[in-house]
């Protein structure tokens, strides 16, 4: 493997650098690392992309250059451009950090740079587009419209097919993306473009996993201490990482197998396991934790009552997953260890955002399956009760633009029972009249509120 990452354990640092900002600036000249030709484009230049897909691509036998575009704000491109797309990845284990400079981003662009976007999408050397536009990003249609626009350019340039890989936490993210992009193609270029895309664009589903807290100013200082380079945009992540993808992704980038990506014919079981156990567990803590005074995931793991609720949710989720019990137990143990990592400061507020979009994906199927057996799911009911309390102003500030009138209905409901009916109706619409479930959610909300 080419030596493109310049890494070391931060405890191996010998010289003491000056205060943050006084070190050398990160850049390709300083590190003598030329930009690789662009073969992939990414939309959604956040910390997660840099901890995950960009890092995997840097580990391929022939690493690919990525042209990355920002999603909602241009801040990441503004911070990364002066350092030529280089950034420090601090992998934070329970005891120490490992620091490496990732060189995959050959170009970084403000997402509004339509000319650059069209140029890359029309380039026959580009064969892969990856997406991290968040769960909410699939509702607005903006990402799909941009992809359709790029595909129109590609088609007129005669540059051939393309693979578009969603890396967001959605069930069947490939199929969801395909439907959204084909609809946008129809709108932008009629049947000709939509038919062309249906035939020439592959949309593999992917399960992606790596806990990546939002970077802080303290992380910049830590990155500089570790490498002696001032970095305006470092990323902190955990040692664990996983990418399980459908085989069409390997056709687009065969080197990903050597980089550690697992390819399977059907990603659904891995996706559901991660969405229910890890993401569903996260959401439970994000809503039930703050009223009990917790700010981070790790702090929740030291609260015995809360971890009891988490285990109960995991029992319910595990029962619908169909994984062999030993495998599921191992997955739960690994997730517990990851959540408890004392050196990852993963804020519950970050996870709590966009609940109206996340919860149906993380909880609905589990609730349906448990109710189908005629049982009341207490773990799931606590998850919904926690969200109810959150929407009513308990815990961290609500950040959920898609919640709209729903939030208002929960906030102004005259009692927990009415609020519970709104919440259940949103997360599992086919159980909107499930009086027993609604009552159970309301009971848990009352208990969680009085215990807070
Ligand atoms: C989290 C995820 O913010 C959230 O909703 O559950 O971002 C989670 O940390 C990642 O999916 C881990 O791979």
């Amino acid at each position: 493997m080419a030596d493109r990452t310049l890494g070391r354990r931060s405890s191996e640092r010998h010289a003491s650098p000056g205060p943050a900002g006084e070190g050398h600036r990160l850049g390709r000249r300083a590190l003598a690392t030329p930009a690789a030709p662009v073969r992939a484009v990414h939309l959604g230049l956040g910390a997660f992309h840099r901890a995950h897909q960009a890092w995997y691509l840097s580990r391929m036998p022939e690493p690919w250059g990525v042209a990355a575009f920002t999603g909602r704000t241009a801040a990441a491109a503004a911070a990364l451009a002066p350092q030529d797309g280089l950034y420090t990845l601090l992998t934070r284990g329970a005891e120490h950090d490992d620091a490496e400079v990732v060189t995959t981003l050959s170009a970084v662009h403000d997402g509004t740079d339509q000319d650059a976007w069209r140029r890359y999408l029309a380039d026959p050397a580009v064969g892969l587009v990856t997406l991290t536009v968040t769960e909410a990003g699939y509702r607005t249609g903006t990402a799909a419209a941009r992809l359709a626009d790029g595909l129109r350019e590609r088609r007129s340039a005669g540059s051939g097919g393309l693979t578009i890989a969603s890396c967001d936490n959605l069930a069947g993210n490939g199929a969801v993306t395909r439907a959204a992009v084909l609809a946008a193609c129809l709108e932008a270029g009629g049947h000709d473009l939509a038919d062309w895309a249906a035939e020439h664009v592959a949309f593999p589903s992917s399960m992606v996993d790596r806990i990546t807290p939002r970077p802080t100013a303290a992380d910049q200082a830590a990155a500089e201490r570790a490498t002696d380079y001032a970095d305006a945009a470092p990323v902190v992540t955990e040692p664990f990482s996983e990418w399980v993808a459908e085989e069409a992704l390997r056709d687009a980038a065969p080197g990903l197998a050597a980089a550690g990506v697992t390819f399977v014919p059907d990603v659904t079981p891995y996706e559901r396991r991660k969405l229910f156990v890890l993401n569903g567990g996260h959401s439970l803590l994000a809503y039930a934790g703050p009223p009990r005074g917790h700010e981070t995931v790790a702090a929740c793991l030291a609260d015995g009552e809360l971890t009891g609720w988490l285990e109960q949710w995991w029992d319910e989720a595990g029962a619908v997953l169909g994984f062999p019990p030993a495998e599921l137990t191992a997955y739960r143990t690994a997730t517990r260890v990851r959540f408890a990592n004392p050196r990852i400061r993963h804020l519950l507020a970050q996870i709590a955002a966009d609940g109206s979009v996340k919860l149906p994906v993380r909880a609905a199927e589990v609730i349906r399956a448990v109710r189908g057996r005629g049982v009341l799911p207490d773990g799931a009911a606590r998850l919904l009760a926690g969200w109810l309390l959150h929407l009513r102003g308990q815990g961290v500030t609500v950040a959920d633009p898609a919640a709209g009138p729903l939030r208002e209905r929960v906030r102004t409901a005259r009692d927990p029972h009415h609020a519970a009916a709104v919440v259940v109706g949103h997360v599992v619409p086919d159980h909107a009249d499930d009086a027993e479930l609604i009552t159970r959610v309301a009971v848990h909300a009352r208990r969680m509120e009085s215990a807070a």
Side-chain angles (χ1 to χ4, degrees):
M1 184 181 300
D3 181 21
R4 289 171 36 101
T5 52
L6 313 156
R8 62 175 138 155
R9 181 175 295 188
S10 54
S11 55
E12 285 166 5
R13 180 178 56 78
H14 39 94
S16 172
E22 285 187 7
H24 314 286
R25 177 164 281 291
L26 210 47
R28 291 193 182 266
R29 272 238 323 254
L31 272 71
T33 170
V38 171
R39 299 184 64 183
V41 168
H42 182 78
L43 180 58
L45 176 52
F48 181 69
H49 169 63
R50 286 181 280 146
H52 195 274
Q53 303 92 52
W55 177 78
Y56 275 97
L57 289 162
S58 78
R59 292 159 58 86
M60 302 208 298
E62 289 173 12
W64 287 16
V66 169
F69 289 77
T70 54
R72 282 185 285 213
T73 82
L80 283 159
Q83 47 196 61
D84 305 325
L86 303 190
Y87 60 93
T88 313
L89 184 65
L90 291 168
T91 304
R92 193 154 277 174
E95 270 146 30
H96 64 81
D97 288 358
D98 283 310
E100 66 185 283
V101 174
V102 179
T103 61
T104 310
L105 303 183
S106 293
V108 287
H109 294 277
D110 179 334
T112 60
D113 186 346
Q114 201 179 27
D115 290 345
W117 174 258
R118 289 179 169 170
R119 206 170 53 242
Y120 285 119
L121 276 257
D123 183 347
V126 168
L128 173 66
V129 177
T130 52
L131 305 176
T132 51
V133 296
T134 79
E135 295 89 333
Y138 294 78
R139 290 170 57 91
T140 60
T142 321
R146 281 157 84 171
L147 288 161
D149 179 75
L151 290 174
R152 191 176 43 199
E153 296 296 309
R154 189 172 185 92
R155 180 170 174 250
S156 2
S159 297
L162 188 70
T163 295
I164 299 180
S166 162
C167 299
D168 284 295
N169 292 318
L170 295 169
N173 55 15
V176 169
T177 307
R178 184 174 198 273
V181 170
L182 295 188
C185 283
L186 195 59
E187 202 169 314
H191 283 287
D192 282 358
L193 182 61
D195 292 349
W196 179 87
E199 192 181 339
H200 293 96
V201 184
F203 294 91
S205 278
S206 259
M207 185 282 283
V208 293
D209 193 5
R210 197 166 204 187
I211 291 172
T212 308
R214 195 166 290 142
T216 66
D219 298 331
Q220 290 186 16
E224 180 164 349
R225 277 198 305 277
T227 64
D228 294 348
Y229 284 98
D231 183 346
V235 178
V236 168
T237 194
E238 61 171 340
F240 179 96
S241 83
E242 200 172 23
W243 193 353
V244 182
E246 286 176 359
E247 277 145 10
L249 180 63
R250 183 174 42 202
D251 300 340
L256 281 175
V261 178
T262 304
F263 291 101
V264 294
D266 177 14
V267 90
T268 315
Y270 303 93
E271 213 170 54
R272 293 166 79 239
R273 182 175 63 176
K274 193 241 168 179
L275 287 170
F276 302 165
V277 176
L278 186 135
N279 297 116
H282 257 169
S283 292
L284 171 60
L285 301 180
Y287 301 124
R292 300 168 71 83
H294 306 308
E295 223 188 324
T296 64
V297 175
C300 292
L301 267 271
D303 176 335
E305 188 169 18
L306 201 43
T307 55
W309 299 352
L310 179 65
E311 299 292 338
Q312 195 169 17
W313 160 253
W314 282 349
D315 288 342
E316 290 162 7
V320 309
L321 284 174
F323 268 85
E327 242 181 86
L328 209 52
T329 304
Y331 190 82
R332 280 170 67 157
T333 305
T335 307
R336 231 176 268 124
V337 171
R338 294 171 64 195
F339 280 8
N341 184 334
R343 299 181 66 254
I344 291 278
R345 212 179 132 65
H346 196 185
L347 291 179
L348 298 168
Q350 181 182 342
I351 300 164
D354 293 331
S356 69
V357 194
K358 289 174 175 174
L359 288 197
V361 178
R362 299 174 181 199
E365 202 188 319
V366 176
I367 295 172
R368 262 183 218 119
V370 177
R371 290 304 283 142
R373 293 199 307 269
V375 180
L376 274 168
D378 275 312
R382 282 201 200 85
L383 170 52
L384 299 199
W387 188 45
L388 182 163
L389 296 177
H390 170 70
L391 291 175
R392 281 172 80 91
Q394 290 186 37
V396 297
T397 309
V398 178
D400 189 351
L406 167 99
R407 180 180 170 193
E408 206 41 32
R409 283 171 63 211
V410 175
R411 205 180 61 77
T412 54
R414 61 175 182 276
D415 57 42
H417 194 273
H418 284 86
V422 178
V423 161
V424 169
H426 176 78
V427 176
V428 236
D430 42 319
H431 280 264
D433 299 325
D434 186 338
E436 281 184 312
L437 178 63
I438 291 168
T439 303
R440 190 60 67 103
V441 171
V443 166
H444 280 304
R446 272 200 206 94
R447 284 190 197 145
M448 287 160 78
E449 192 168 32
S450 57

